[in-house]
Amino acid sequence: GEEVAQTPKHLVRGEGQKAKLYCAPIKGHSYVFWYQQVLKNEFKFLISFQNENVFDETGMPKERFSAKCLPNSPCSLEIQATKLEDSAVYFCASSLTTVNSPLHFGNGTRLTVT
Amino acid sequence: QQQVKQSPQSLIVQKGGISIINCAYENTAFDYFPWYQQFPGKGPALLIAIRPDVSEKKEGRFTISFNKSAKQFSLHIMDSQPGDSATYFCAASREGYSTLTFGKGTMLLVSP
């Protein structure tokens, strides 16, 4: 597609429950990025993929967060045992390459942990 | 350590005025500096970007000024319109790396 599609738009989970977010990048884009935007607008980089391979995972809290980009499937971000501080909007972005190629963002998934 | 510092946090400008948002970076390896515009409930959208080989780039009413020696860059919105009211983020990255480091954003309100 021509847009980055993120589902669901909203997700509510009780503390300790699992949350799974999905992202379909723009067709033909090789790179996928996940960012977390907390209440004060700050974007935190989580992880990026080049096709199905992890490209950069320096921002990923590895204890409870995991992500995948498998061929012919939407990419996913999974949070095991959610905590209150995981409440945020999670954005997915995709780009064609890493050179001269802007990031195209989806509209995000708002995760609320109660 | 915040690698990209953005100011002001919020800005109110009269319609037709000039909006100016400033950013400073620390990492000299950064070589790509985009600005993103975000409306409520939407993802950020690329507005304009600059690389350090030029000191200014203009696209319509939007201009980026870049000062490599000072490690600063700024966004100027000329003839600001109410439809420009949004949150603006500066960002920086390294060529071939794409991971953006964002500033904390500036909420712009253009009053009619």
Side-chain angles (χ1 to χ4, degrees):
Chain A
E2 294 297 316
E3 293 182 342
V4 175
Q6 289 189 249
T7 56
K9 285 187 180 179
H10 302 279
L11 190 58
V12 180
R13 288 290 179 266
E15 213 174 356
Q17 291 185 317
K18 184 174 76 176
K20 196 164 185 178
L21 292 60
Y22 296 92
C23 167
I26 292 173
K27 193 176 179 181
H29 281 194
S30 303
Y31 291 84
V32 171
F33 301 78
W34 285 99
Y35 282 86
Q36 178 194 56
Q37 186 179 35
V38 294
L39 284 175
K40 292 190 175 181
N41 283 331
E42 194 164 355
F43 283 95
K44 180 190 173 190
F45 167 73
L46 295 175
I47 191 169
S48 62
F49 288 84
Q50 180 183 11
N51 297 312
E52 61 266 28
N53 303 307
V54 174
F55 187 67
D56 179 0
E57 57 181 348
T58 51
M60 198 71 157
K62 292 181 184 174
E63 311 84 50
R64 298 181 296 109
F65 285 61
S66 62
K68 291 179 188 176
C69 275
L70 300 176
N72 303 313
S73 296
C75 296
S76 64
L77 176 69
E78 189 167 325
I79 309 171
Q80 301 286 342
T82 52
K83 296 183 178 181
L84 295 176
E85 66 248 35
D86 298 332
S87 295
V89 181
Y90 291 83
F91 285 98
C92 173
S94 69
S95 69
L96 198 56
T97 67
T98 59
V99 179
N100 292 324
S101 182
L103 293 193
H104 297 264
F105 283 81
N107 286 328
T109 292
R110 179 175 295 279
L111 172 65
T112 302
V113 181
T114 60
Chain B
Q1 183 188 20
Q2 188 191 349
Q3 294 200 56
V4 179
K5 293 183 181 178
Q6 183 171 348
S7 63
Q9 210 170 6
S10 62
L11 183 61
I12 300 175
V13 172
Q14 297 269 8
K15 180 182 174 182
I18 302 173
S19 304
I20 301 174
I21 304 170
N22 300 299
C23 282
Y25 63 97
E26 297 167 6
N27 188 344
T28 54
F30 288 148
D31 54 10
Y32 174 66
F33 304 90
W35 285 89
Y36 281 81
Q37 180 189 55
Q38 186 180 27
F39 293 104
K42 299 292 185 183
L46 179 66
L47 200 58
I48 186 172
I50 198 167
R51 296 189 189 276
D53 51 345
V54 295
S55 60
E56 187 174 282
K57 183 174 180 180
K58 185 175 181 179
E59 288 183 3
R61 295 185 294 110
F62 301 93
T63 300
I64 299 180
S65 297
F66 184 80
N67 185 330
K68 189 174 180 179
S69 60
K71 293 189 285 184
Q72 294 175 347
F73 58 110
S74 60
L75 176 69
H76 291 62
I77 306 174
M78 312 301 287
D79 187 27
S80 299
Q81 299 296 312
D84 296 331
S85 298
T87 301
Y88 292 82
F89 293 89
C90 62
S93 70
R94 288 184 281 144
E95 187 79 54
Y97 195 57
S98 271
T99 300
L100 291 173
T101 299
F102 283 89
K104 291 191 174 183
T106 296
M107 292 181 65
L108 171 66
L109 176 64
V110 180
S111 58

